[in-house]
Amino acid sequence: LNTNVKKVKWEARVWKGPDGKKYAVNPKDKTVYDYDSYMIALKNPEANPILVGQIIVKDGKTVFKKM
């Protein structure tokens, strides 16, 4: 058991990215996660969703910035 791990609970919003794939977005900080890994993490507390990017506003436009 890793005592340095902090579990964060948030409900993702499903978002269809510019590439047509489904992603899980944290609505609080606009971080974007791989949808399948997010679904696995919901069922398995040992799993972590894979961070793939962030949604940012640049020059008044919403942009998906991949990591």
Side-chain angles (χ1 to χ4, degrees):
L1 180 66
N2 186 345
T3 57
N4 293 325
V5 175
K6 178 182 175 189
K7 291 291 177 192
V8 178
K9 294 189 179 197
W10 50 272
E11 187 172 330
R13 292 202 174 128
V14 178
W15 175 65
K16 187 174 180 181
D19 55 5
K21 293 169 79 175
K22 269 201 296 190
Y23 293 96
V25 178
N26 182 333
K28 190 170 187 173
D29 62 7
K30 305 292 188 222
T31 49
V32 180
Y33 296 87
D34 172 77
Y35 180 79
D36 292 331
S37 70
Y38 172 77
M39 295 306 290
I40 290 168
L42 285 178
K43 295 175 185 172
N44 179 357
E46 298 296 316
N48 291 311
I50 300 168
L51 179 65
V52 294
Q54 188 167 19
I55 296 174
I56 58 171
V57 177
K58 185 176 182 180
D59 300 326
K61 294 182 181 178
T62 302
V63 178
F64 175 40
K65 182 180 176 188
K66 284 192 169 188
M67 296 289 185

